[in-house]
Amino acid sequence: MIDQLGRRIEYLRLSVTDRCNLRCVYCMPKEGAPLLPHSSLLSYEELVRVCRCASELGIDRIKLTGGEPLLRRGIETLVAKLKALDGIRQVTLTTNAILLGELAQRLADAGLDRVNISLDTLDAAQYRQITRGGELSMVLDAILIAQKAGLALRLNCVPTPETLEQIVPLAKLAQRWPLDVRFIELMPIGAGAHWQGVFSSEVKRRLEQAYGPLHVCPQMQGNGPAEYASLEGFLGKIGFISAFSSCFCARCNRVRLTATGFLRLCLQYEDGVDLRELLRSGADDEQLIQAMRGAIAQKPAHHRFGEMLPQANRRGMSQIGG
């Protein structure tokens, strides 16, 4: 599927739940977000149907997100069904990893291609503070279990002024283990709008000071906007997602489906189409495909973070699909 600006849209981030077992400070308010009734969420059958239609438009990669996707019971069943669809060549998942240890082998057996784990610090007390109660040891144990299960891993780190000293030790995990560590600039979405992030330039400065020069990888390493580099003696790569300091919208290849079935075209905007309404009103596959085609064709040219826009998103990341 080619949008109006000539971008090839081939990647769908698929939220399966708005629920999360953590309350990260830049993602959710302390009391959590209002939860939707289960009946409002798309069933697995509906999710698979949307993905089958999306594959007709050229979507060939799917990322399962939330909230926390591992809270959705039987998530490995959904993975297996998506992997069985014609045209879908990759299914990955993003998680806080609190439940990953007990599910890693089942996910690997279902054919999951990769897991992205959110991890902003290796200090147990700081981790507990950032996540409002999470246990770091469960995440570190899950990393080892997932590697043993054969799952490819990436760690996603969102640096803030409070976690600057964690940049170097987090990167060191890519020296110790064959996984990628990515540093993501904080996006001003939901609770994140009230927090200060750190630019990739500062992260790179600290890494080069500690480990020597970063060698940029010229070839694309992942599904999206991350730029990767290698460091001497490291088993894994270091990635940078610089949404704020280096806008990558001109090569954006993704759309998002919320857990309630709303196809969102850009993280910042409310624009899109309600697929749940079509699914539950008797629309056939061709009607779904045409609705998706029409919406994707109007994908916004770029985000405008930092500006107050009347059409801007008012929801948190857990409600959109992180």
Side-chain angles (χ1 to χ4, degrees), residues 219-239:
Q219 69 275 23
M220 186 174 179
Q221 299 285 313
N223 292 329
E227 297 178 343
Y228 287 85
S230 60
L231 285 166
E232 190 69 31
F234 275 54
L235 295 173
K237 300 285 193 302
I238 304 296

Side-chain angles (χ1 to χ4, degrees), residues 18-273:
D18 62 329
R19 288 158 170 75
C20 190
N21 48 359
L22 298 178
R23 296 287 182 271
C24 295
V25 293
Y26 54 75
C27 183
M28 273 195 193
K30 185 176 182 179
E31 65 277 10
L35 297 179
L36 296 165
H38 189 73
S39 59
S40 296
L41 308 183
L42 294 192
S43 67
Y44 283 170
E45 290 74 18
E46 289 170 325
L47 289 169
V48 171
R49 186 180 173 200
V50 168
C51 291
R52 185 176 69 245
C53 291
S55 71
E56 296 290 327
L57 295 172
I59 298 288
D60 62 5
R61 285 164 280 180
I62 296 170
K63 170 83 73 185
L64 300 179
T65 72
E68 171 49 54
L70 297 186
L71 286 173
R72 186 83 183 252
R73 187 174 300 176
I75 188 69
E76 69 275 12
T77 302
L78 178 61
V79 170
K81 289 180 177 180
L82 294 176
K83 285 286 289 186
L85 291 176
D86 289 340
I88 300 301
R89 65 181 181 88
Q90 187 183 80
V91 178
T92 60
L93 180 145
T94 184
T95 176
N96 59 37
I98 296 297
L99 299 175
L100 180 61
E102 61 187 82
L103 292 171
Q105 190 60 61
R106 277 186 271 169
L107 290 166
D109 292 344
L112 189 69
D113 292 290
R114 188 178 62 249
V115 175
N116 287 14
I117 296 173
S118 300
L119 181 61
D120 297 333
T121 179
L122 293 176
D123 179 283
Q126 189 176 51
Y127 181 82
R128 198 173 298 114
Q129 180 184 35
I130 291 171
T131 61
R132 296 192 177 104
E135 290 297 329
L136 177 65
S137 60
M138 297 181 73
V139 179
L140 298 179
D141 288 346
I143 290 173
L144 294 175
I145 293 169
Q147 288 188 105
K148 186 176 180 180
L151 290 168
L153 298 180
R154 285 188 178 136
L155 304 186
N156 287 341
C157 316
V158 179
T160 64
E162 293 75 19
T163 58
L164 276 174
E165 299 306 316
Q166 291 297 309
I167 290 171
V168 169
L170 281 165
K172 193 175 181 66
L173 295 179
Q175 183 183 49
R176 176 182 174 189
W177 291 324
L179 51 76
D180 298 336
V181 176
R182 309 196 302 179
F183 295 95
I184 304 172
E185 291 182 350
L186 180 65
M187 299 181 194
I189 301 294
H194 306 292
W195 285 79
Q196 181 182 351
V198 175
F199 284 166
S200 294
S201 56
E202 174 61 17
V203 176
K204 292 175 182 178
R205 186 190 71 79
R206 288 174 176 258
L207 292 179
E208 292 197 317
Q209 188 176 54
Y211 298 118
L214 288 157
H215 303 286
V216 176
C217 301
Q219 69 275 23
M220 186 174 179
Q221 299 285 313
N223 292 329
E227 297 178 343
Y228 287 85
S230 60
L231 285 166
E232 190 69 31
F234 275 54
L235 295 173
K237 300 285 193 302
I238 304 296
F240 304 94
I241 299 180
S242 312
F244 225 108
S245 64
S246 181
C247 179
F248 44 71
C249 297
R251 61 181 190 278
C252 183
N253 65 345
R254 69 188 57 191
V255 289
R256 287 174 160 82
L257 188 75
T258 70
T260 59
F262 192 83
L263 185 69
R264 300 180 66 97
L265 310 176
C266 174
L267 188 58
Q268 189 181 18
Y269 301 100
E270 294 280 2
D271 300 337
V273 61

